Amino acid sequence: NNVLHPFFPTGKKNSNNKNQYFTDVHGLPSIEKLVCSVDETPQPITTKIRGTIPSWIHGNFLRNGPGKFDKNQWWGNQFNHWFDGMALMHQYRIEGGKVTYMSRFLNSDCYKANAENNRIVVSEFGTLAMPDPCKNFFQRFLSRFEMQQPTDNASVSFVEYKGDYYVSTETNYMHRIDPETLETKQKVDWSKFIAVNGATAHPHTDPDGTTYNMGNSYTSKGASYNIIKVPPEKINPEDTLEGATVICTIPCEDKTKPSYYHSFAMSENYVVFIEQPIKLDLLKIVTGKLRGKGISDGVYWDPKLQTVFHLINKHTGRLSPIKYYANPLSTFHQINCYEENGFIIMDMCCSDDGKAINNFLLQNLRKSGDALDEVYNTICRIFPRRFVLPLVVGKDTPCGQNLNTRPDSPATATKTGENKVYCTHEDLHGGDLHEYGGLEFPQINYKMYNTHPYRYFYACGFRHLVGDSLIKMDVQDKHMKIWQQPGYYPSEPVFVPSPNAVEEDDGVVLSVVITPNKDKSTFLLVLDAKDFEELGRAEVPVNIPYGFHGAFQAGI
């Protein structure tokens, strides 16, 4: 049994940062089989239903994540980082209380090149593709000076643009996918439409279908951040990203060391870019091949820097002159963001340390015993936090006083100088969340409550390196409901509203659960979103690796 000892409120015993939360956990079970290579299942197979899958659920639950990692498949070397594995797409087709399962590897250029050469030939985030051993020494030497080409291994999420589904990562390449068959239909390059070198795998969509995203530009003048807008409709049936525009460009303060961001926040009228102290050293990244290092070698955490919130008006593209500052924090996923009574309320998953991205090496995930415990205990826990940003800050606004006048809100926003506001957060949880290791992969009733006041979100508890519980959090009273079973590892929970739903949590929560110590024991879990009790599960008779993100495609 795992024993979760009290958190060190100051992190390691010699830490001076009192906002960090580290653990002292012992006896973590091995999760090595969660990151093992598997075969695809390209034809739908039936699942065994236990309990009841509500008959009103009608659609495809689509999931994405790495599925091929190492030499026991078709190449002689292996990836270093969890994020590097070849993208494997999953479909759970739910109809009439029954569920079928299928999966396909993304037919990306890098997948085909690796297979054809029987080795890794395209560099990924943490893995450098080595020169072809069949070349002579001089050719191998020269290849070190070639620029690394961005990968099209879109293993992070399923996203939607103009009614089409794509799989996406953080480079400039996406792939359009047929959600019915999981066939790879078309490779799409962002840079062919707008001057960006990539885009996030977490766009936001307005009710009319207009989609917003973010991407960096790297030029001779340095790096900049761009807010992207994609129109909701196609002019021609074969359209992809036609009509995409950059509505705002934000210069990096350090032109050669932009901040890394995995996502961004969006309210009804604003995009909020969170410039965090996780930095990209572009010189290290560009010279990585020459130095024999992967991209991850150029990613680092600089706790001397503050976090900056940039506000961009979605309608005018205007960047607010007001900069909102906070203590150094790391955030990968936002929960929700909305405007109310002259404030932007922004909820997100945060930690006080940004080193975790380089800790998810495959060798770490495959450790056991004390070595595994050490990896977990040196990663700062992630908790839900609320920041309150006042929209009206002018020359006459007094300095030194809390501008957050919202009742019962302990978050602060204090003007510290011209166009500068310093913010502190409100915790969106009680002390009981510590027992579950904090949380990540937040999801809400997106269609009805994104950019609006809301009460509930769903997430994974992280009392391991991957999610080992599901959590329903009430941000109003900060109570939570838990689904957890020993040895079971659920993935990102996705909310599906019931037909004619009235209340925010009328519906179900879907999550893929993996049991690494049992063979072919993965199942699709269906929870009642209100009481968080299990309704049913669909057992899949094949092995599936732990994945990242997904989407529910309603009506098929």
Side-chain angles (χ1 to χ4, degrees), residues 380-393:
C380 189
R381 299 295 96 209
I382 299 169
F383 292 97
R385 295 175 178 174
R386 170 169 291 177
F387 287 89
V388 178
L389 313 182
L391 285 169
V392 181
V393 181

Side-chain angles (χ1 to χ4, degrees), residues 197 216-225 251-252 254-258 282:
N197 295 92
N216 280 8
S217 292
Y218 305 117
T219 68
S220 58
K221 296 180 179 180
S224 59
Y225 314 107
C252 298
D254 187 332
K255 300 292 187 182
T256 64
K257 295 177 180 177
L282 297 183

Side-chain angles (χ1 to χ4, degrees), residues 335-350:
I335 304 167
N336 199 1
C337 181
Y338 58 92
E339 301 156 42
E340 193 172 64
N341 300 324
F343 296 94
I344 286 184
I345 291 84
M346 181 170 60
D347 299 346
M348 55 189 188
C349 295
C350 303

